[in-house]
Amino acid sequence: MLPQSQHLELEQDGSWLTVWFNEPERRNPLTNARVDALLDLCAALPNAPIQGVTFRGRGGIFCAGGDLKSFKSSFDGPASQDDIVRLSLRAADLFDAVAALPQFTVMAVEGAAMAGGLGLTCIGDMIVASEGTRFSLSETRIGLTPAQIAPFVVTRLGMPAARRLMLTGATVDVQEAKRLGLVDQIVAPEEMDNAIEEVQAMIRSTAPQAMATIKRQLNEMPFQTREQQRQMAAKSFAERLLSDEAKEGISAFLNKRKPNWAGG
């Protein structure tokens, strides 16, 4: 059973979960409560029979990033620097948790993805954006820094493009975002549902545990020596080759039938 929260709406269709940010009147910010709800969800997902997760915002807006009202209360109220450090590390926990999900993640971006919302976008395995969507790392325009999302932006875009967007706070349209590698696919607004269904069909043909294994390898690869990479690859490949999934997948291929993935 997945944890329920008033700060997220969950829609499950078989092995696929859609996570809706549900505060469009405020541009779906990453409030403290929403971050907590997402962390609870991410903690439950590795043990859930879910193969893919779509993150999406209600009201035609993806996510405006951090909660500016909460930020204002920090300097208007009694919050100390240590309190703010803990708040920042909580955001880091969220980005790390989404990045570590074993499921295939789709960021369905509509309207705008700003600041932390753009950072969250960068973590997705696939990013589908609607025409007219805008992207911005706007922190420097209000005296802040995109600190915790910086590693994920650099991983997605590379250092030159990430530096330009983070330092200038510039807003880019969806065509420029695709040119930079931030967006994988652009669709008309009315075609977003169909585009997500096509991704679901593609992912449902893949082996869930094989996908989880390669995601884990890709996440750890940048922090490993070449020898560690070799050893992890050899071990994971051996485990996969001896797995029930591989037996089913190879048998299905040789017998020209669709594989029957457990949990798929």
Side-chain angles (χ1 to χ4, degrees):
M1 179 70 70
L2 296 174
Q4 301 296 311
S5 170
Q6 64 179 348
H7 303 287
L8 299 171
E9 293 178 23
L10 305 183
E11 291 182 355
Q12 188 171 345
D13 177 15
S15 62
W16 202 278
L17 180 70
T18 300
V19 180
W20 290 94
F21 306 139
N22 58 347
E23 204 174 2
E25 67 278 5
R26 295 184 58 197
R27 299 168 65 83
N28 296 322
L30 292 173
T31 62
N32 293 337
R34 185 160 290 112
V35 168
D36 288 344
L38 284 166
L39 281 168
D40 289 343
L41 177 63
C42 288
L45 278 172
N47 298 314
I50 301 293
Q51 193 173 8
V53 183
T54 297
F55 292 88
R56 195 172 178 183
R58 291 290 188 195
I61 180 80
F62 182 69
C63 178
D67 182 10
L68 293 185
K69 288 186 177 180
S70 174
F71 293 167
K72 185 176 186 300
S73 67
S74 295
F75 57 74
D76 283 348
S80 68
Q81 181 169 322
D82 286 343
D83 292 331
I84 298 171
V85 166
R86 282 191 289 271
L87 183 69
S88 178
L89 289 174
R90 190 67 170 164
D93 289 341
L94 170 62
F95 299 129
D96 287 339
V98 175
L101 287 176
Q103 290 86 4
F104 189 87
T105 54
V106 178
M107 300 297 171
V109 187
E110 298 162 286
M114 303 294 182
L118 189 152
L120 187 61
T121 298
C122 288
I123 300 171
D125 295 316
M126 183 169 183
I127 302 170
V128 183
S130 63
E131 295 171 351
T133 300
R134 295 173 296 114
F135 299 84
S136 178
L137 292 170
S138 53
E139 287 88 347
T140 57
R141 298 208 305 267
I142 58 173
L144 298 176
T145 60
Q148 292 293 358
I149 63 175
F152 302 99
V153 179
V154 171
T155 297
R156 180 77 193 191
L157 300 182
M159 184 62 79
R163 285 178 68 96
R164 177 168 67 84
L165 292 184
M166 284 189 280
L167 294 175
T168 65
T171 297
V172 298
D173 63 22
V174 71
Q175 297 294 338
E176 175 68 1
K178 189 172 190 299
R179 189 189 70 79
L180 293 174
L182 174 57
V183 169
D184 296 305
Q185 182 180 0
I186 301 173
V187 298
E190 65 273 14
E191 291 298 320
M192 180 61 81
D193 289 341
N194 290 336
I196 294 172
E197 289 176 3
E198 290 177 0
V199 176
Q200 291 174 355
M202 176 174 58
I203 296 304
R204 282 180 169 136
S205 70
T206 66
Q209 293 305 313
M211 182 169 59
T213 298
I214 191 61
K215 283 194 66 172
R216 184 167 60 252
Q217 182 181 352
L218 292 172
N219 284 337
E220 295 181 20
M221 191 180 298
F223 310 103
Q224 296 174 323
T225 65
R226 176 59 187 140
E227 183 57 27
Q228 289 171 328
Q229 291 173 354
R230 285 160 47 93
Q231 293 298 326
M232 182 178 185
K235 182 180 179 181
S236 67
F237 182 78
E239 290 174 348
R240 286 287 88 217
L241 187 58
L242 297 174
S243 70
D244 290 339
E245 269 192 351
K247 293 175 186 176
E248 169 62 14
I250 293 171
S251 175
F253 179 82
L254 294 177
N255 290 283
K256 299 180 180 180
R257 61 173 175 82
K258 290 184 179 180
N260 181 21
W261 305 125

